[in-house]
Amino acid sequence: MQAIKQSQPSGQLSFARSDNSTLVVRLSGDWHLRHGLPGPDLVLKQLDTAPKPARLTFDAAGLGDWDSGLLTFLLGVSEICHTRKLPADWSPLPEGVRGLMQLAEAVPEKAGARHEAAHSSFIEQVGREAISFARSLDEFLAFFGEVTIAFARLAVGKARFRRVDLMIVIQDCGANAFGIVTLVTFLVGVILAFEGAVQLQQFGATIFVADLVGIAMSRDMGAMMAAIIMAGRTGAAFAAQLGSMKVTQEIDALTTMGISPLEFLVLPRVTALFLMIPLLCVFADCMGVAGGAFVSVTMLHTSLRSYLIETKHAITLTMFFGGLFKAAVYGIIIAVAGCLRGFQCGNSSSAVGDAATQAVVTGIVYVIVACGIFAFVFNVLGI
């Protein structure tokens, strides 16, 4: 009998030939996944060694402690045997291992599942993503319709929610967000001023940096940056809060008590973000202009008074209120996206994190789509 031994840091795997037709797989030592284990490919190499065996069996006399790593190895060996139609004798294995192996193989893998996943074409993948986006948009619009109905009930005084919840969310969406909005929008104003100065310095027209920064911030960038910040900060928080409530069955409890979760949980959040994000947009516009002024005064040697006068002449009320209108729409989109993903959350702790991630992605994507639509419409209207 000739044995070939392969050692690993944890369990040990060796092979023997009891005769020319039977390959004996010897398992010894402690098979713990954290220590690293041999792979089924070692068995595959022995099966390809001449003379090729017609049968496979095991010797587990030296097997010590084991965990799921042993099962993973045995399932890989089992798949090799099924593929080669090689009979295998599993009886020498411990009873617990055999029982778990039977459970693992109770539901066979769908035929061709791996082949289909591995060979899906690019067109097919694009189609799947397009269908997924269409379904997501349909769910968003349906949920937005339900929120609109809830607002109609609020207008006639029939909606049920606690006013203190609204005040808490307003504080979170408003005052508590000033710090991050200040930092990001000030730096955006600095960046816009730098980019504009590089080109305008060639013509000696650095004073028009004020026009560039003022118009960009008031028309689009102020509302856009405030929306993206709130999507990552508040939209994710809405999804996580509602997702946690769904996992702990608090939403089901509200339904059982005859209280609409949409009115009690969603209305305060949508209302708060709808009211606060235009104020954040005004603040973002001011901080962006301040960032541009910092660059112009310190690096372009433009007086602060001249910069502010030029900004005043560049910005019109149409631009300013157009930016506020965009911000209000963005706020509704972010709040609805966050609440929708929270309501769609699964019943596990990991699903809460997934819901928060999806809320951020959905909110930012829809905000950018809305920004593109606004840009086209405002251009057609000459605004």
Side-chain angles (χ1 to χ4, degrees):
M1 181 184 296
Q2 180 183 5
I4 305 174
K5 187 175 182 178
Q6 300 286 344
S7 298
Q8 297 292 335
S10 181
Q12 294 182 346
L13 179 66
S14 61
F15 304 96
R17 299 290 182 101
S18 61
D19 53 55
N20 290 334
S21 63
T22 303
L23 175 66
V24 180
V25 181
R26 288 178 175 170
L27 307 173
S28 58
D30 296 334
W31 283 63
H32 292 297
L33 187 61
R34 63 181 181 273
H35 293 152
L37 295 173
D41 55 315
L42 298 177
V43 178
L44 185 61
K45 291 180 181 179
Q46 293 297 319
L47 293 177
D48 291 333
T49 302
K52 293 185 178 181
R55 182 173 173 271
L56 186 142
T57 187
F58 293 89
D59 181 1
L63 181 63
D65 295 334
W66 53 272
D67 58 16
S68 59
L70 175 61
L71 297 175
T72 302
F73 169 77
L74 293 176
L75 286 173
V77 175
S78 176
E79 183 176 355
I80 293 173
C81 292
H82 286 310
T83 302
R84 299 196 170 206
K85 297 181 180 180
L86 181 71
D89 180 15
W90 306 93
S91 59
L93 295 174
E95 183 179 355
V97 175
R98 295 199 307 270
L100 291 175
M101 287 284 295
Q102 292 175 358
L103 288 176
E105 296 179 340
V107 180
E109 182 178 327
K110 178 183 175 182
R114 299 188 185 184
H115 181 271
E116 294 173 2
H119 293 83
S120 56
S121 64
F122 174 75
I123 300 299
E124 184 178 357
Q125 294 178 7
V126 171
R128 288 177 179 173
E129 292 298 328
I131 293 173
S132 176
F133 179 80
R135 289 176 178 171
S136 176
L137 181 61
D138 180 67
E139 293 170 353
F140 178 86
L141 294 177
F143 190 77
F144 181 78
E146 295 177 1
V147 173
T148 303
I149 296 173
F151 267 104
R153 289 178 56 82
L154 175 63
V156 297
K158 294 184 179 181
R160 300 173 62 187
F161 65 90
R162 298 190 304 176
R163 270 57 180 175
V164 66
D165 291 342
L166 176 61
M167 295 298 106
I168 292 173
V169 181
I170 284 177
Q171 179 181 356
D172 183 65
C173 296
N176 293 348
F178 274 125
I180 184 64
V181 172
T182 300
L183 175 63
V184 172
T185 53
F186 181 84
L187 293 178
V188 168
V190 169
I191 293 169
L192 288 174
F194 268 123
E195 296 297 327
V198 170
Q199 299 300 322
L200 293 174
Q201 277 183 323
Q202 302 179 25
F203 309 101
T206 54
I207 186 62
F208 292 110
V209 169
D211 299 61
L212 172 66
V213 176
I215 293 174
M217 293 301 299
S218 61
R219 283 181 64 95
D220 286 301
M221 293 303 296
M224 173 69 72
M225 296 311 301
I228 291 177
I229 293 169
M230 297 309 288
R233 180 188 180 278
T234 305
F238 288 172
Q241 291 165 1
L242 298 181
S244 299
M245 295 180 71
K246 185 175 180 183
V247 171
T248 57
Q249 299 183 342
E250 295 178 55
I251 294 179
D252 296 336
L254 289 174
T255 305
T256 303
M257 291 186 293
I259 301 175
S260 171
L262 203 68
E263 297 177 4
F264 193 82
L265 300 174
V266 177
L267 268 185
R269 289 168 168 80
V270 177
T271 304
L273 201 53
F274 171 74
L275 294 176
M276 288 296 103
I277 201 167
L279 300 180
L280 292 175
C281 175
V282 174
F283 185 69
D285 293 345
C286 295
M287 295 309 301
V289 170
F294 175 78
V295 173
S296 294
V297 172
T298 58
M299 303 192 65
L300 304 180
H301 308 294
T302 302
S303 68
L304 180 61
R305 185 173 182 273
S306 299
Y307 182 90
L308 295 178
I309 291 175
E310 188 66 25
T311 302
K312 178 182 176 182
H313 291 161
I315 300 175
T316 64
L317 288 178
T318 303
M319 295 178 188
F320 179 75
F321 286 108
L324 293 186
F325 174 74
K326 293 177 182 179
V329 174
Y330 297 159
I332 295 176
I333 291 174
I334 293 166
V336 172
C339 294
L340 171 62
R341 297 311 180 193
F343 272 70
Q344 292 177 337
C345 177
N347 294 321
S348 65
S349 57
S350 62
V352 176
D354 295 338
T357 302
Q358 292 172 1
V360 175
V361 173
T362 302
I364 292 177
V365 168
Y366 288 170
V367 162
I368 294 176
V369 170
C371 182
I373 295 174
F374 281 136
F376 174 77
V377 173
F378 281 27
N379 182 65
V380 171
L381 297 177
I383 300 177

